Amino acid sequence: MAAAGDGVTDVDDQVNDALKALANPIRRQMLGWLRDPRANFPTGQGAADLDEYGVCVSQLQEKAGLAQSTVSSYMASLERADLVIGARVGKWTHYRRNEERIARLIEVLDRTL
């Protein structure tokens, strides 16, 4: 059994956090939309550049048809799992995928499943 702090437990915790965040189908769908924000969201609608900052919560809210509080909660869950990166632009919060973290998660799952 792995001892705490040996790296294995840390990786297991990170994978578990990511899988918990991905257990919700709408959160998975939102992460999928963020894969290609220009194809999934109108340009010029957010407060900042899609490529640099990502998609505004209001854009996600509109596309998902959910309350702002629900979308914010979903995105916070994905951010805690390090699957997205949040950025404040003025009073708006924007999210983009953390491609490095997603790639690492896929590698770990490929090796362990």
Side-chain angles (χ1 to χ4, degrees):
M1 182 140 98
D6 66 2
V8 174
T9 302
D10 294 339
V11 170
D12 288 345
D13 289 345
Q14 291 172 3
V15 168
N16 289 339
D17 290 345
L19 292 177
K20 286 176 193 173
L22 294 172
N24 180 296
I26 296 176
R27 286 193 294 254
R28 285 194 313 271
Q29 184 176 44
M30 289 178 172
L31 194 60
W33 292 338
L34 294 176
R35 183 179 210 153
D36 188 358
R38 292 202 177 277
N40 289 297
F41 298 94
T43 57
Q45 189 178 35
D49 181 73
L50 285 174
D51 296 322
E52 185 174 354
Y53 296 102
V55 175
C56 184
V57 167
S58 63
Q59 292 173 286
L60 288 161
Q61 175 190 357
E62 184 178 322
K63 187 166 182 82
L66 298 171
Q68 183 273 330
S69 59
T70 302
V71 172
S72 291
S73 173
Y74 284 177
M75 296 312 294
S77 178
L78 291 169
E79 187 173 30
R80 280 189 304 275
D82 203 20
L83 297 171
V84 298
I85 299 166
R88 292 287 293 183
V89 179
K91 65 180 183 173
W92 308 106
T93 302
H94 292 248
Y95 291 96
R96 61 184 169 85
R97 287 167 52 111
N98 184 345
E99 296 296 348
E100 182 179 311
R101 172 70 171 104
I102 292 169
R104 281 194 321 246
L105 174 64
I106 292 168
E107 287 173 17
V108 168
L109 292 174
D110 187 47
R111 282 193 319 266
T112 59
L113 294 182

